[in-house]
Structures are given as C-alpha cells and as structure tokens.
Amino acid sequence: MSEPVSPEALSTASSTRAERFRRERTRLGRRADTLFAGLTALAGLLVLIILAYMVLTTTNVALPVFRSQGLSFVTSATWRPADGQFGILAFVYGTLVTSAIALVIAVPLSLGVSLYLVEVAPRWLRGPVAYAVDLLAAVPSVVYGLWGVFVLLPLFLQPAAEFLSRTLGFIPIFAGPASGISYFGAGVVLAIMIVPIISSLSREVFRAVPVEDRHAAYALGATRWEMIRGAVLPRSRAGIVGATMLGLGRALGETIAVALLIGSRAEVGASILKPGYSIAALIANTFGEANPEGIRALVGAGVVLFAITIMINMAARMLVWRMVER
Amino acid sequence: MNENTISLEENITATERGSEGPAPAFGAPSVFTVRGLGVHYGGLPALRDVSLDVQPREITAIIGPSGCGKSTLIRCFNRMNDLIPGAEVSGEVLYHGEDIYAAGVDPVTVRRRIGMVFQRPNPFPKSVYDNVAFGARINGYKGDMDELVERSLRRAALWDEVKSKLRKSALALSGGQQQRLCIARAIAVEPDVILMDEPASALDPIATVRIEDLMQELKQEYSIVIVTHNMQQAARVSDRTAFLYTEVDEAAGQRWGILVEFGDTSDIFTRPRDKRTEDYVSGRFG
Ligand SMILES: Nc1ncnc2c1ncn2[C@@H]1O[C@H](COP(=O)(O)OP(=O)(O)O)[C@@H](O)[C@H]1O
Ligand SMILES: [Mg+2]
C-alpha cells in the first residue's frame, strides 16, 4: 500500500487534533459555565423576589389593622374580633413557649440519639436506626397531632402534667390545675416532631469531626465520654446551633399538631400546664369564619410570625458567626 | 560483631527470662519489651513478628519506607490500634514487665502513662490553655493548673511564644507551634513515655529543628519512641534504631512489615548487618 507513516508524524497529527478538540471543548465549556452561572443567579434572585413580594403583599393586606391597633397589636392580649380588638400577645407567647418546650426536650434527646449512633452503637445497628429516625420526619404533622390527642394524651401527657404539678407545683410554671391539653402537651408533641431533623443534621456534624481530634483525646487517656466532651462537642457547636435553628423553625410554624393539642385559649399564663394558643393555631382555627377585618388581623399575625422566625434566625447566625470567630 | 550488638542480644535474652523472673542483671530494665508482635487489619497481615526493647531515657527511632508498618507498630505501644476497626494485635507488648494487652487491662489507663504525638498537629479547637489542661483535667489533676500549664509549655519550649495568648484559640498558632503544643499537651499528663509518629513531617525545616532539639531535652525525663521516614533525622536524634521493611508474598498477593534490624543508631547507619538495611540507609531505595 502507501508508504508507511512515521510514528512522529502520527503523533503530531493526533496531537494537533487533540489540541483543536481541547480548544473547542474549552470554548464550549466556557459558554456552558456562563450559562450555568446566569441560571443560578437568576434562581437566587427569583427566590429573593418572591420573598420580598410575599412580605410586601401580606404586610399590605394587614396594614389597616396595624394602623388601627398600633403597637397594641403585639402588646395586648385581648383578641375580640367582634369588637375590633386585635391583640396577639397571647398567641405570640404560646408560639414561643411551645417552641421553647420543644427545644428543651428535643435538643438533648436528638444529640443523645446522634452521639449514640455516631460514637457508641455497633456498626450494624447504625444504618437501620438512623434510617428509622429519619423516617419520623416523613410522618405528616396531622398524624402527629391525632396520635398526640388519642394516644399520647391519655397515656403520657395527662399523667405527666399531673405529676409535674403535684411535685413541682410550687414553681409558677408548673402550677395546677394541670392539663395535658396545654403548652406542655403541644410542646412535647412538637419535640417529637423536630427530633428527626435535629438529630439527622447533628449526626452529620458529629461525623465530620476529624478522626485526628478523636485520636488526640484518646491518646491522652480519655474515656469515650471525655473524648466526646473534649473533641467532638467543641468542634460541633456551630453545627449544633444550626441544627437546633432548623428544628426551631419547624416548631414555630407548626400548625395542625399544635392546634389539636394546645387547647385554644387566648391567655398569657405563667403555667405551662394550662391551655394556651399559638399564632399558627389561631390562623388555622379562625380563618374560615373571620370577618374581613379579622382576616386582615390574621394575616398581620402571620407577618409577625414571619418576623419572629427571621429574627431568631439572624440571632442564630450571629451566634454561629461569633463561635467561628473565636 | 561489636560490643553493642552483643550487649543488646544479651539484653533480649535477659528480658525474656525477666518476663517471668527478675529484671535483667545489668542496666536499667526495659520500658517496653516487644516479643513476636504482629498486627492484622481486617484479616490481612500488616506487621509480623517484631521483637525489640525500648530503654528508659533513650530515643528509639523506627525507620523504613512508606507503608512498611511504622505507624502500625508505634500504635501498638499505647493500644491506639484498638480504635481501628478490624485491627488485631498478636504477640506481647510488656510495659515495665506488664502485658498491656492482657485481659482486664484498660487501654485508657495505658494511654495515661504513654503519651502520643501525631503526624499532623491536632490541637483541639479550644484555647491554648485548655488544650494543655485537657489531659490533666480528665485525669483529675488536683494541683495548681496554671502552674502545670506553664511548666508543660516551658518543657515543650513554647511558653515564651504563647504566654500572652493562652486564652486564644490554639488553631491560630503556626504548624510548628501547634505541634509543640501537642507535645506540651502530652507532657501535662505526666506520662512516662512519649510516642511520636512522624512529628515533624508536616513542618518546615526550622520548626523541625526545634522539635528535634526539644526531643533531646525531653530525653532527660522521658523515654521516646519516634517514627520517621527521614533517615537523617533518625541518625541525628536517636540512640537506637529499628529498621522495618516490607516483605511481599507475590503468590498470595500480600505484603507486611517485618523488623529487619534493631540496634544502636550508630551501628545501623555505619555498620548495618543486613543488606537491606545497608541499601536503605545508603539511600539505594525507599
Ligand atoms: N486503618 C487501617 N486499616 C487497614 N489497613 C491499614 C490501616 N492502617 C494501615 N494499614 C495498612 O498497614 C500497612 C502499614 O501501614 P502504616 O503502619 O501506616 O505504614 P507506615 O506508617 O510505615 O507508612 C499498609 O499496607 C496500610 O495500608
Ligand atoms: Mg505512618
């Protein structure tokens, strides 16, 4: 056939082809990069626009009520729509109290569960248990609410509330008469609802602690618990705050389970063993039969709830930021 | 054969007898007596049949090419291998004549006597002070903590550099300072032995020299075992050297570390008995 092609010629030919190919690819790649950057920026911008639009429109709907009530919208606990009195203090209070109870119970429980899964549990048990905990997050909140009312209330909430007021009743927050349908009851069910999210996030946080840190502690003669306290927890603080905040966000906004368990009484009472009310429960319960002004007031309550969540999130962010600074 | 090797071999037999009977008749008794030590990871051998002695107030170096089992060996001295899933240790490691792998021996107690410094500086994300105090606190130290922290930092030749920032995060220190902090942290537990696994390999030359000087200081009070893949370092700092090398079983597709030669550092580097040692220390491979 034709004369043999020298290896050098072959390699030069293929190298120039490769060169051209590479150049083309880079050009294409660069164009795709620009496109991708533009798309993501657009998506981010869209989220911000939707958020701003929501804040503006809801505030706009509620504006007449904000005007007529003034500051007493948030400082008054008198909620009488028929008389045009809209004070949401009792609901704000109930939202904060139930969420606080939920955190007090859920954070230690979640950290315990995830520390157990990451540090203690035998390997074969870790996957299944973690999966089961995560699955709890998939249960619809109305199921939690109904289960709370029909199972947990008679089995645990009512007896526990009575026990607390019997033994610790001298402290105002546990004063009787005790009811399972109360801030306490709603808080406990909320706690169960937010354990999955806090524990699955903190599990990741604990897992991310470098093995070198653990070995450093063990090499100093630390027991497992001393290692956790000395090496794992300090590295995880910021992450734990983050996980807690996501749980808190869910607790603050939770509607149906709280509505079923809180007792729907618009009062600001010191005792957590008495019925109360929350913003989300108020909106869910009364939106249907509210008069036009009442609807504006309910939307206003929603705006306040949104403001609370934003403020708490910002506070948390600052806390995390200061932790990282140190 | 030279004098040192003879005395070493006598020492080995003496200690072997000593594990049941009295300590060897001459010299100080060994800090560690290792006999027929082997380690498997997940059923595969990583180290086989290592026997050596670590003498008090000496620096014992473990050298050898990468992957020959140096870290594996040094982790046997304070039972850090217990923390590695699938690791199994066989053979004997006697610490002052006591088998640290015997049933009923708590690895936590072992590690409180035998400190360790790692390849990558790994201070806790806490203040300089709390790093040093950590070990003492978990050990229930009752004395003056400020004094202990200062003393440990001084002994680690770090005090002057950090005395004004004891409350600052240890992570803000340079790599060399962090490593000396890790040494101070180990010293604060008042151990008897300090194990160092390539303590200077992540550091720049100046920081390395500081660590080496520090080791000479620490030798006055502690027995030191150091892993290094830097032969010059071993030659500079150590009194005795163990040379590990990888043995390969092509048929089974397995490789594991063995102890090729153990003796006085000067002998290992100037009069090695084994051809592989000679090749390694003269830089012909590894
Ligand atoms: N945690 C581990 N799990 C499984 N195998 C390991 C582990 N650590 C080390 N090995 C294996 O043991 C051998 C020796 O490793 P190592 O002791 O780290 O060597 P060196 O410190 O001399 O570089 C290597 O083949 C390595 O792959
Ligand atoms: Mg190593």
Side-chain angles (χ1 to χ4, degrees), chain A residues 9 91 162 170 178 293:
Chain A
F91 313 113
E162 280 163 16
F170 58 92
E293 205 190 2

Side-chain angles (χ1 to χ4, degrees), chain B residues 140 248 277 282:
Chain B
V248 184
T277 315
S282 61

Side-chain angles (χ1 to χ4, degrees), chain A residues 5-229:
Chain A
V5 185
S6 77
E8 291 86 57
L10 244 182
S11 80
T12 353
S14 69
S15 90
T16 45
R17 203 176 310 133
E19 189 72 10
R20 204 176 319 128
F21 178 62
R22 205 174 307 129
R23 231 179 299 133
E24 232 137 69
R25 269 190 56 117
T26 353
R27 204 178 313 138
L28 257 179
R30 222 172 279 141
R31 211 171 295 155
D33 255 13
T34 330
L35 190 70
F36 184 67
L39 275 177
T40 47
L42 195 70
L45 203 64
L46 200 64
V47 169
L48 281 182
I49 289 171
I50 292 174
L51 199 67
Y53 184 68
M54 268 169 63
V55 171
L56 285 177
T57 46
T58 48
T59 312
N60 196 36
V61 170
L63 209 55
V65 173
F66 286 162
R67 286 231 180 84
S68 71
Q69 305 296 313
L71 210 57
S72 74
F73 185 67
V74 285
T75 58
S76 155
T78 314
W79 179 265
R80 250 186 251 122
D83 306 340
Q85 285 191 338
F86 300 102
I88 62 165
L89 184 64
F91 313 113
V92 173
Y93 177 77
T95 297
L96 294 178
V97 168
T98 48
S99 299
I101 295 170
L103 284 191
V104 165
I105 300 170
V107 170
L109 191 63
S110 311
L111 297 187
V113 167
S114 35
L115 279 178
Y116 173 75
L117 285 177
V118 175
E119 307 289 348
V120 185
R123 243 141 244 283
W124 59 268
L125 199 64
R126 293 180 187 188
V129 174
Y131 182 68
V133 173
D134 288 350
L135 216 56
L136 283 178
V139 177
S141 59
V142 64
V143 174
Y144 276 105
L146 292 172
W147 175 76
V149 169
F150 291 111
V151 180
L152 206 59
L153 183 63
L155 225 61
F156 173 74
L157 295 177
Q158 189 61 36
E162 280 163 16
F163 174 78
L164 282 175
S165 81
R166 232 182 6 257
T167 50
L168 299 169
F170 58 92
I171 308 172
I173 62 168
F174 296 121
S179 168
I181 294 283
S182 56
Y183 299 113
F184 168 75
V188 169
V189 173
L190 274 181
I192 300 170
M193 293 174 70
I194 64 176
V195 159
I197 182 152
I198 301 181
S199 78
S200 75
L201 287 171
S202 54
R203 209 162 62 224
E204 294 311 313
V205 171
F206 293 147
R207 254 213 292 266
V209 172
V211 72
E212 287 88 355
D213 279 29
R214 294 163 203 269
H215 285 182
Y218 278 129
L220 291 165
T223 59
R224 181 147 52 195
W225 170 236
E226 288 161 347
M227 185 282 291
I228 289 171
R229 259 190 28 209

